[in-house]
Structure formats: C-alpha cells, structure tokens
Amino acid sequence: MTLTKRLHDGNEIPVLGLGTYRMRSEEELRPVITEAIRCGYRLIDSATVYKNEEVLGKILRDIFADPSFGIQRKDLFITSKLSPQDQGYDNCYKAVNKSLERFGLDYFDLYLIHWPGTSKKQLSDPINSENRMGSYRALEQLYKEGKLKQIGISNYTVKHLSELLQKCEIVPHVHQFELHPCLYQNELLNLCQQHNIQVQAYSSLGEGKLVNGEIKIDCLNDIAQRLQTTPAVVLLRWAVDHGWLIIPKSKTPMRVKENASVLDVQLSDEDIKLLDDIHNAETHRFCWDPTNVY
C-alpha cells in the first residue's frame, strides 16, 4: 500500500517519490524507474531543465503497456517543473504544453515553478517578481483547464511565498525545497504549515555529502547502526516523520530498493530531536540559493 498525504484540495500525493535530477539517458533511467515501480514508488519527479522528459515518457509508456507491472497512468503521480528561462505568463503556458508533449501525457499531477528568478536577469531585477507571478497565473489557468491536477512552487523563500500568497487565487498545493538536518528552515516550514501547503524535501542526503563522510554527523551513523539500516534511510525517515514528502534520487537500482525501506524504519523521539538540532552546529546549503532573488 502506498503511503500518501492529503493535499489541501483533498487529493492524495505519494510520500515517497523518485527524483531524476542529472539522469538523462534511457540507459540510466530505465533500470531505476523499473526498480522504483516494482518497489512501490508511485511518484516520479522531473523538470524541464533535467532534459529527460521525453525519455521518461517513453519508459513510462512501456511500463503502462506491460501487464507484469499492473500500472496504469492513473496509478502514477508525475511532476515536472518550469525552466527559469520560461518565466512569464505566455512563456509558462507554452512551456507546460511542450512538457506534456515531450512526456506524451494529457496532464501532470503536479507542476512547479522551479525557481523564483528568470534566466539571464540580475537577481535584483524587479522583473523576477513580475515574471514568476505571471507564471503562477498561467499555472492557475492550466489547473482550471485540467492539464495540471495540482500546482506549486520550488525554491521559494519566505519572502517569495508571502508575496505569492497575497496575490494568488489558488494556494500552492506543494512547495519543494532543499531540506535536511543541516538546512532546517523553520520560518519557511511554519509558513507552509499555516497555509496547508505540503512540503516536499529535496536533497535530503545533502547531495550525498551527509552520508559519504564528507560532513561528519556522529549521531546519524549511530542511529543507522542501532536500527540496522543506512544513514540515507535515517535521513529520509526523519523527513517522513516530520510529515514531508521525499524524492530521493539514485542511479543504482539497489539504492532505489534500499531507500524504499524508509517506510519500514521507526525513529524514536530522541532520534528525531538529535537530527533536528544538527543545524545549530552544522549549517550547510548544497543546492541553489534563492535568498537574494528579488
């Protein structure tokens, strides 16, 4: 049975999804997508900037056509995201339809504005604010047309989200941002909770640096050893226990299967508190920093 969370519109979204960042070829993607589906993953996360939408669409069509999987389109939750070069109402509207064409789909279950800025514009340029609002208006229109079942944002700060909430017609269903024990963004988390916006964590493993020894976190290894699991699974379970969605990426089917065990692991309240407190001594951001985008 797939573990899900209920969004503010009443629809369900799978807690565990597969990230596909930095995977473009069919040779890379097919083994991990296949293993993920067989292990119970029911959410696939992509983006225009990943340049893998067409390949993913081909793989998914093969899976839908293969009776051994027993999977239909309605059983999968598929996400894509707007490229920063496609910001603005008209550009966004066209970009979503092009993404649907590349995937070979009639609709996305979730579509996000990937970044609050616009490509080739200064971070301080007011056009960033104007464009992302235009993009969100386009998502609202596509939502009304049924081409997007849910809409949301990614990498927005408190400032960006507060601005959006003052102007939007449809409150974002999901906010996807970097979130792990070394980047525990309390103010942003609280704002999402206040408006019933579902948080989806990305880079839960800190681009691998939290589990490969590059950043040493003693309690993480201690918890993993005691529970007879991996540090990666502990980090993923920490996010799940906080009520967030997770989209771990792996290029190896074995890791995909291993990460699926997150739903079988139990952290104690003490474990969670230890992980919660890590950011007080170790603060790290590993991905895009949207802080200075106007």
Side-chain angles (χ1 to χ4, degrees):
M1 180 136 179
T2 303
L3 181 63
T4 62
K5 298 283 288 185
R6 188 178 296 276
L7 299 172
H8 68 66
D9 65 352
N11 290 317
E12 303 281 333
I13 183 170
V15 169
L16 174 63
L18 182 73
T20 63
Y21 178 48
R22 290 180 179 159
M23 290 191 285
R24 294 186 182 181
S25 72
E26 185 172 349
E27 291 72 26
E28 281 182 307
L29 284 162
R30 187 174 288 274
V32 295
I33 295 292
T34 299
E35 184 66 20
I37 297 298
R38 295 205 188 280
C39 289
Y41 290 69
R42 290 297 179 266
L43 187 152
I44 306 295
D45 180 88
S46 181
T48 296
V49 297
Y50 298 171
K51 299 186 185 302
N52 61 17
E53 293 173 311
E54 193 168 351
V55 173
L56 282 171
K58 180 177 184 293
I59 295 168
L60 292 176
R61 283 193 297 277
D62 290 344
I63 288 173
F64 298 149
D66 186 340
S68 70
F69 286 97
I71 293 291
Q72 301 175 45
R73 168 67 185 96
K74 65 180 179 61
D75 300 319
L76 277 190
F77 198 101
I78 300 173
T79 300
S80 198
K81 311 181 200 77
L82 183 74
S83 169
Q85 71 179 12
D86 294 322
Q87 290 275 29
Y89 185 96
D90 290 338
N91 289 338
C92 176
Y93 191 91
K94 293 173 186 174
V96 172
N97 282 292
K98 287 179 181 177
S99 280
L100 286 169
E101 287 177 18
R102 285 191 290 270
F103 259 104
L105 297 174
D106 296 323
Y107 67 90
F108 284 119
D109 297 277
L110 176 65
Y111 196 90
L112 309 174
I113 296 175
H114 205 161
W115 178 250
T118 302
S119 293
K120 300 181 180 179
K121 299 297 181 183
Q122 294 292 326
L123 298 181
S124 59
D125 193 329
I127 196 68
N128 290 308
S129 175
E130 180 182 332
N131 279 350
R132 66 175 171 267
M133 196 61 232
S135 296
Y136 198 80
R137 296 282 187 220
L139 297 194
E140 290 178 323
Q141 179 58 35
L142 288 155
Y143 172 84
K144 293 172 185 175
E145 293 173 10
K147 292 184 177 180
L148 305 177
K149 300 301 183 185
Q150 277 83 214
I151 59 177
I153 53 176
S154 181
N155 295 300
Y156 275 38
T157 64
V158 168
K159 178 183 91 69
H160 302 136
L161 180 53
S162 298
E163 172 192 72
L164 175 61
L165 289 168
Q166 291 174 4
K167 301 176 180 179
C168 67
E169 181 181 347
I170 300 165
V171 172
H173 299 102
V174 173
H175 186 5
Q176 182 188 114
F177 56 94
E178 183 179 351
L179 184 55
H180 45 72
C182 290
L183 191 65
Y184 193 0
Q185 304 185 64
N186 271 310
E187 189 180 359
L188 185 53
L189 289 166
N190 289 337
L191 184 59
C192 288
Q193 183 177 32
Q194 180 184 345
H195 292 275
N196 295 313
I197 300 169
Q198 176 61 55
V199 170
Q200 188 172 54
Y202 79 74
S203 195
S204 294
L205 313 183
E207 296 279 90
K209 295 179 175 66
L210 299 181
V211 296
N212 65 9
E214 191 167 333
I215 294 176
K216 191 169 175 57
I217 301 174
D218 291 331
C219 74
L220 178 59
N221 292 314
D222 292 343
I223 295 168
Q225 288 175 13
R226 176 165 47 78
L227 297 177
Q228 297 183 307
T229 188
T230 65
V233 170
V234 170
L235 288 170
L236 294 171
R237 185 68 215 193
W238 172 78
V240 171
D241 282 341
H242 275 292
W244 310 325
L245 313 176
I246 51 172
I247 46 171
K249 181 208 79 173
S250 179
K251 292 187 176 182
T252 63
M254 181 188 73
R255 295 291 186 199
V256 169
K257 184 176 182 179
E258 190 177 83
N259 289 339
S261 71
V262 64
L263 303 182
D264 303 319
V265 171
Q266 286 297 122
L267 299 183
S268 68
D269 291 344
E270 183 180 355
D271 293 335
I272 295 170
K273 179 66 164 59
L274 286 169
L275 294 167
D276 284 352
D277 290 341
I278 286 171
H279 73 282
N280 293 320
E282 290 276 358
T283 300
H284 301 278
R285 184 189 290 273
F286 302 103
C287 305
W288 296 353
D289 186 354
T291 305
N292 295 320
V293 177
Y294 183 87

